[in-house]
Amino acid sequence: MPRPRSRLRLADVAERAGVSLTTASRALAGRDGVREEVAERVRRISRELGYVANPHARTLAGGTASTVGLIVHQIDDPYFSEIAGGVVQVADERDLIVQICHSGRNPQNELRQIRHLIAQRVGVIIIAGSGYVDPRMEAESRAELSAFQDAGGRLTVIGRHFLNADAVRPDNKEGAETVTDHLLSLGHRRIAVAAGEMLLSTVADRFAGVVAALTEAGLPTDELPLAQAEFTRDGGRDAAERILRDHPDTTAIVALNDAMAIGVLSALRAHRVPVPHRMSVAGFDDVSFAADLAPGLTTVRLPLAEMGRQALSMALRPPASRPRRKSTGHELVVRDSTGPVPSR
């Protein structure tokens, strides 16, 4: 029988796992220097013994100051920095400290960050950013987070499908339909898409919205020009180069986030392609400086800072019997980067 949870020590975990105290500490912190099979045994035994339960329960139930772990895909992407700003705002109001981790859109990096935060005994974890189309890619993370919640920790996610947690759900498909409808209303029929990798559920959902709008308009989509690259500014530049090379008759490009749209504009500028007179460009997210670009970027506005505020506020409420879901809504913001289809 395991010892009563209130008396558990790291030494108890180490003894049960048959490892040294140092090895147990490294394994639970997700540090290098421990073979994966040993680390997994230590983590499994710590869960079985409930070693991480009391720190979460004491922190949250007692209402004392604690740490919030926020995991983002890319810390220098304005999408994530604005979400982080909303999280920090609520944290300041509650005397909480926010620790921000960067996963680089890599599920194994994300798993390491989750294990690190759990080892640091944070009371709340927020995961912001796309999940993966294949739920197997985050199966290990799901198991770690489930144990974290069972132990009293609180979890909220932004833009995830397969994690059992309270969630803020961006209007990804709906927003993409809206911005594509806008281009169609301007007469565009030769529309190309600059996208991140389709393994990201956000990319897949937004692309599905573009396809839905084109289908509704009676346009074929089986040969829709799609250039996939990194979901970044540099990726947008690469995607635009391929669209210009392979689909020179394109009159409008939908970039599936604003970072890619900025790269698209950069590539078009380098090729002296006038926007919007020769090529219209639309983005998605409405990051803070989208209006200050030249030309100003037409995009889909998501309430980014509010999404961060909602995520932490949900996490700080008592857990519900079923995960709560909150949709963000969206707004089309028309600026100077889109215009009527050019006359031939």
Side-chain angles (χ1 to χ4, degrees):
M1 291 289 290
R3 303 184 187 195
R5 292 187 174 187
S6 61
R7 293 163 52 194
L8 280 172
R9 303 166 300 158
L10 180 60
D12 299 319
V13 177
E15 179 182 0
R16 177 67 71 87
V19 299
S20 69
L21 195 60
T22 299
T23 298
S25 176
R26 284 181 171 276
L28 293 178
R31 299 193 185 104
D32 295 333
V34 183
R35 295 198 314 274
E36 180 54 33
E37 61 268 27
V38 175
E40 178 55 35
R41 183 169 75 248
V42 173
R43 289 191 292 266
R44 175 177 53 78
I45 289 172
S46 73
R47 291 194 297 267
E48 291 173 356
L49 295 176
Y51 173 66
V52 297
N54 282 342
H56 301 312
R58 279 200 304 271
T59 298
L60 295 172
T64 57
S66 63
T67 301
V68 175
L70 171 63
I71 301 176
V72 300
H73 281 324
Q74 190 173 342
I75 201 165
D76 60 348
D77 185 328
Y79 175 90
F80 294 110
S81 61
E82 291 182 41
I83 288 173
V87 172
V88 169
Q89 183 181 36
V90 174
D92 285 346
E93 295 168 357
R94 306 292 185 92
D95 284 334
L96 303 173
I97 296 171
V98 179
Q99 179 178 339
I100 302 177
C101 302
H102 169 108
S103 71
R105 298 186 177 88
N106 181 311
Q108 289 305 310
N109 286 345
E110 183 175 279
L111 177 61
R112 283 193 289 272
Q113 300 292 356
I114 289 169
R115 286 171 173 167
H116 168 76
L117 291 172
I118 292 173
Q120 296 297 312
R121 302 183 183 181
V122 301
V124 174
I125 294 177
I126 298 171
I127 302 181
S130 178
Y132 302 92
V133 171
D134 184 350
R136 292 173 296 182
M137 295 184 69
E138 49 190 336
E140 289 184 273
S141 294
R142 189 162 58 247
E144 295 281 354
L145 291 166
S146 178
F148 170 73
Q149 292 173 285
D150 290 343
R154 296 289 290 119
L155 171 69
T156 305
V157 298
I158 299 174
R160 292 290 176 122
H161 294 303
F162 301 119
L163 296 180
N164 186 35
D166 290 346
V168 177
R169 291 281 179 84
D171 273 8
N172 287 321
K173 183 175 184 291
E174 299 85 352
E177 288 186 64
T178 298
V179 74
T180 306
D181 284 339
H182 165 67
L183 293 172
L184 291 169
S185 74
L186 294 171
H188 294 279
R189 296 298 182 267
R190 291 182 289 275
I191 298 172
V193 180
E197 295 297 328
M198 285 294 168
L199 60 86
L200 296 171
S201 57
T202 292
V203 175
D205 290 346
R206 292 180 181 182
F207 183 68
V210 175
V211 170
L214 295 175
T215 301
E216 180 67 22
L219 298 176
T221 59
D222 53 339
E223 296 183 2
L224 172 64
L226 169 65
Q228 295 183 72
E230 292 185 3
F231 212 29
T232 63
R233 181 181 184 275
D234 289 344
R237 187 186 297 113
D238 292 343
E241 293 282 354
R242 279 185 273 141
I243 290 168
L244 291 173
R245 182 192 67 217
D246 300 337
H247 305 281
D249 60 345
T250 297
T251 64
I253 298 175
V254 179
L256 297 188
N257 70 3
D258 285 351
M260 292 197 84
I262 293 167
V264 169
L265 290 172
S266 175
L268 295 177
R269 188 161 51 247
H271 285 274
R272 301 184 183 278
V273 176
V275 177
H277 308 294
R278 163 63 183 84
M279 184 83 75
S280 287
V281 178
F284 202 116
D285 295 328
D286 196 30
V287 298
S288 58
F289 53 78
D292 300 324
L293 299 171
L297 181 64
T298 293
T299 187
V300 176
R301 176 177 293 165
L302 295 178
L304 301 177
E306 179 60 23
M307 287 158 56
R309 287 190 289 268
Q310 288 175 353
L312 182 49
S313 296
M314 291 172 76
L316 295 176
R317 295 205 298 268
S321 58
R322 300 178 64 181
R324 293 169 283 231
R325 303 284 187 262
K326 186 169 183 62
S327 297
T328 61
H330 70 278
E331 176 186 356
L332 176 67
V333 181
V334 178
R335 299 190 179 102
D336 294 336
S337 68
T338 54
V341 64
S343 58
R344 294 289 178 177

